[in-house]
Amino acid sequence: MAGPDNDDAGAAQAWLTAPSQSAPAGPASTSSASNGSASGAKPAQPAAGGPPPRQPQGGGRRAGVGQAETPLDIVFVSAEVAPWSKTGGLGDVVGSLPVALAARGHRVMVIAPRYLNGGQNDALYEDAVDTGVRAELALGGCGPQTAGFFHLHRNLVDWVFVDNPVFHRPGNPYGDEHGVFGDNQFRYALLSLAACEAPLQLQIGGYRHGEPPGFAYGERCVFVSNDWHAALVPSYLAAKYRRNGVYLKTRCIFAIHNLSHQGVEPAATFPNLGLPDDWYEHLSWEYPSWASINGPAVNLLKGAVLCSDRIVTVSQGYAWEICTSEGGWGLHNVLLGRQHVLNGITNGIDMDEWDPARDAHTPAPFDAADTSGKAACKAALQVELGFDVDARIPLIGWIGRLDHQKGPDIALDAVPGITQRGCQMVMLGSGSAKYEAAMRAAEAAHRASFRGWVGFSVPVAHRIVAACDVLLMPSRFEPCGLNQLFAMRYGTVPVAHATGGLRDTIRSYDPHAAGGDVATGWTYSPPDSGAMLRALDQALDLRWHQPDLWAAIMRAGMTADLSWDRAAADYEQVFAWALMDEPARAF
Ligand SMILES: Nc1ncnc2c1ncn2[C@@H]1O[C@H](COP(=O)(O)OP(=O)(O)O[C@H]2O[C@H](CO)[C@@H](O)[C@H](O)[C@H]2O)[C@@H](O)[C@H]1O
């Protein structure tokens, strides 16, 4: 069996039977639900009384990239971005949606921290040059702060990295082996305020349509601030800038990738945010009764829901779920109040990075026309894992953060049942120590046919996605999910809990369906191992007894339009709506 891979920068990782190292903590802040097409290609719904929705872009893959009717200056703000600082799906999205928007003719800047942790990952920032600009930031009780800006122009996008000592420390972006960093509210307030300065101060914006470099984006742009870490951007724009006559024509879209993290801290921290006193009401918050702590608090994500011009989340299913008491994490009433500006846009995937015909991490190329390379990938992974090498044995995979959301416990509960069915299974994940221990125990008990990998390794993720027959996604909730999309592109059939983006993107097999589109996988409910095993049984039965239909299911996934160009066009529609309206909070 193979030992640990060392090809993933900065990752601590090991097969469980190899000498194991502790994995970096997963992302976390201080606190903390429709059927659809295979492509997820439903257009965003308009706000009530808003303009009619744009027509869908067509079902199949489009020959070329569309062009924007109105090129805009767009500024993304995010705590993580692939490849520099990805810890999960947020990094994937912010690494690829901006590229898709730039390819459509927009001028796009992405602003994220310049994380230096002393590991191999630091080298990724070497191509970014110091602009020499130092922004003085007024962050209230924290005193004046300085932010530097490093810049790299690549794939038509301006990648800007905010530099400050708070981003230079061992660990992952959000924490280290001791847990989540205690000053994350301050670190991401600094990022958010620096991001507001970047379009005004950086003379980098000259790359659109052959314009000469050397001028600023200026104050007529569209911000896309992502998740709680960038949730102060709409508040800063409204309270600090518009009140002073700046950014009057700018709009801010707030993108929710995961509502369970909201950036909640005690109310006493409000003065540290550098916001005027009268802004407190937008952020004020009482912990819900189910929270383990109580007392007055500030909730950065709540502020963004109230103050941003439009809100986007990453699937239509999730846009619905977060407006319910079950899926709203205490914010459903606030979200219901702004439902008229809330849209769900299903994520795409990076079709270059996740291309089975050109994947540098896998041993053999394949595509929908010829899947023989997939069999080679499976055999290679069986060798690597020390499993029997046999194409007939179903190989089942699971990849994700070891977090309650992703249902690693549900997957682990099913291990005895899966191995009894004669399958092999591999799990890749990092995060909670208790789930890591459970993976170790499962491997010890089922050494012939179960392997776990503790750590974060993009190459291993590619090898598992390419090799497996089935990918399990037992997530309790899933705003969009990317692994099911990667899996479909590699002919790996997803079996997933019918929730959020999983239900939107997987066309579930229905033996009673009369004609129509071929399925791309299975969805099941409720989110427990029994329901998951029943769906897996149906899938395996079909694989054995109707191989032609199984191949058609694989092909349907592999040929679905999962590209970002479709989603990028939907984002453009949201930008256009935002620009038609007055700012949500003028001052
Ligand atoms: N141990 C490991 N080694 C290597 N790679 C690993 C890994 N663990 C996870 N990954 C990778 O990290 C990414 C995770 O994507 P998800 O869609 O599951 O995102 P996540 O839940 O982090 O983010 C949130 O944001 C995204 C983006 O909007 C939503 O899709 C999602 O539903 C929402 O919860 C994938 O690229 C996956 O392959």
Side-chain angles (χ1 to χ4, degrees):
M1 190 182 83
D5 253 19
N6 288 318
D7 46 359
D8 206 23
Q13 57 209 352
W15 293 112
L16 293 172
T17 48
S20 98
Q21 304 166 43
S22 63
S29 99
T30 49
S31 77
S32 205
S34 72
N35 286 319
S37 69
S39 67
K42 288 186 266 185
Q45 296 299 310
R54 195 182 45 75
Q55 290 304 304
Q57 296 289 308
R61 191 179 303 177
R62 296 161 69 197
V65 172
Q67 288 297 300
E69 282 174 22
T70 312
L72 300 170
D73 291 349
I74 303 167
V75 180
F76 280 79
V77 189
S78 173
E80 63 178 86
V81 55
W84 295 274
S85 50
K86 165 178 163 173
T87 74
L90 171 62
D92 282 317
V93 171
V94 180
S96 45
L97 172 58
V99 175
L101 285 162
R104 294 174 61 84
H106 301 285
R107 184 163 56 178
V108 188
M109 183 193 299
V110 177
I111 304 175
R114 183 169 176 264
Y115 297 108
L116 300 178
N117 66 6
Q120 295 170 0
N121 223 55
D122 292 1
L124 293 176
Y125 292 98
E126 279 171 5
D127 292 340
V129 299
D130 189 352
T131 62
V133 172
R134 300 288 179 266
E136 300 302 322
L137 307 175
L139 272 172
C142 293
Q145 306 292 324
T146 304
F149 298 90
F150 285 65
H151 173 241
L152 168 68
H153 188 77
R154 183 186 284 171
N155 291 335
L156 301 175
V157 171
D158 289 307
W159 307 94
V160 171
F161 301 105
V162 172
D163 196 50
N164 184 278
V166 294
F167 300 125
H168 305 170
R169 56 177 69 156
N172 72 23
Y174 311 109
D176 59 17
E177 71 271 21
H178 304 297
V180 173
F181 295 133
D183 59 351
N184 276 348
Q185 185 202 58
F186 169 68
R187 295 168 80 227
Y188 293 115
L190 189 145
L191 170 72
S192 300
L193 195 50
C196 294
E197 285 296 312
L200 304 175
Q201 295 206 30
L202 302 184
Q203 306 288 316
I204 58 170
Y207 292 94
R208 194 172 67 205
H209 306 312
E211 292 163 344
F215 58 90
Y217 274 51
E219 55 167 303
R220 184 181 182 137
C221 46
V222 175
F223 279 85
V224 183
S225 68
N226 293 273
D227 273 353
W228 80 263
H229 325 91
L232 282 169
V233 171
S235 282
Y236 287 149
L237 291 175
K240 281 172 100 74
Y241 290 87
R242 278 192 203 117
R243 279 186 178 179
N244 293 301
V246 181
Y247 281 135
L248 297 177
K249 294 187 170 152
T250 283
R251 298 292 180 271
C252 185
I253 317 302
F254 182 60
I256 300 174
H257 301 263
N258 192 334
L259 189 63
S260 71
H261 302 291
Q262 299 177 1
V264 178
E265 292 284 354
T269 61
F270 178 77
N272 301 338
L273 303 176
L275 285 163
D277 290 346
D278 63 2
W279 213 257
Y280 177 74
E281 65 173 294
H282 296 310
L283 274 57
S284 73
W285 177 249
E286 287 285 338
Y287 290 99
S289 54
W290 41 261
S292 54
I293 44 178
N294 53 35
V298 286
N299 181 328
L300 305 194
L301 195 144
K302 176 205 162 197
V305 169
L306 288 175
C307 300
S308 56
D309 297 301
R310 307 275 317 188
I311 304 160
V312 168
T313 189
V314 291
S315 69
Q316 292 188 15
Y318 196 59
W320 179 82
E321 284 176 15
I322 60 177
C323 293
T324 67
S325 55
E326 292 83 5
W329 295 92
L331 279 180
H332 57 284
N333 282 329
V334 180
L335 281 155
L336 274 173
R338 301 223 67 212
Q339 203 174 18
H340 58 294
V341 292
L342 169 65
N343 294 89
I345 302 179
T346 305
N347 287 333
I349 62 171
D350 183 330
M351 302 286 272
D352 292 328
E353 191 200 339
W354 292 91
D355 180 355
R358 294 182 298 131
D359 190 326
H361 303 301
T362 59
F366 59 95
D367 58 24
D370 178 3
T371 57
S372 55
K374 185 170 175 66
C377 291
K378 177 173 173 178
L381 191 64
Q382 287 174 319
V383 170
E384 184 179 343
L385 301 177
F387 289 162
D388 289 344
V389 179
D390 186 338
R392 293 166 306 172
I393 299 176
L395 182 57
I396 316 293
W398 183 98
I399 300 168
R401 288 183 285 111
L402 294 176
D403 182 287
H404 188 68
Q405 173 194 350
K406 302 290 181 183
D409 50 328
I410 297 171
L412 285 161
D413 281 352
V415 170
I418 287 172
T419 57
Q420 276 162 18
R421 285 163 171 77
C423 303
Q424 300 164 341
M425 180 169 172
V426 55
M427 288 178 71
L428 166 68
S430 63
S432 155
K434 85 175 171 187
Y435 295 130
E436 292 180 9
M439 282 166 67
R440 279 190 188 93
E443 180 162 314
H446 305 277
R447 198 169 290 275
S449 50
F450 177 84
R451 288 291 179 277
W453 177 284
V454 174
F456 192 92
S457 171
V458 171
V460 176
H462 280 248
R463 294 206 292 275
I464 290 174
V465 165
C468 286
D469 298 292
V470 169
L471 190 80
L472 297 177
M473 294 199 62
S475 306
R476 290 182 166 84
F477 69 95
E478 197 60 82
C480 177
L482 297 174
N483 286 324
Q484 82 279 14
L485 304 178
F486 302 151
M488 283 158 52
R489 180 126 163 90
Y490 282 66
T492 300
V493 176
V495 172
H497 175 217
T499 184
L502 296 176
R503 187 160 54 179
D504 280 6
T505 56
I506 299 169
R507 200 162 45 231
S508 191
Y509 178 71
D510 176 359
H512 308 296
D517 292 332
V518 175
T520 57
W522 273 258
T523 58
Y524 63 84
S525 194
D528 60 35
S529 57
M532 187 180 75
L533 282 171
R534 283 191 290 280
L536 183 62
D537 281 339
Q538 287 181 18
L540 296 178
D541 186 67
L542 191 133
R543 178 178 176 270
W544 279 119
H545 298 110
Q546 300 188 65
D548 292 345
L549 184 50
W550 181 261
I553 290 172
M554 288 172 60
R555 244 189 337 271
M558 296 180 84
T559 55
D561 179 6
L562 306 173
S563 74
W564 268 113
D565 193 43
R566 162 197 51 79
D570 288 338
Y571 271 89
E572 279 167 4
Q573 178 64 83
V574 169
F575 299 157
W577 288 331
L579 289 163
M580 281 176 204
D581 292 334
E582 289 299 309
R585 288 285 182 280
F587 40 76

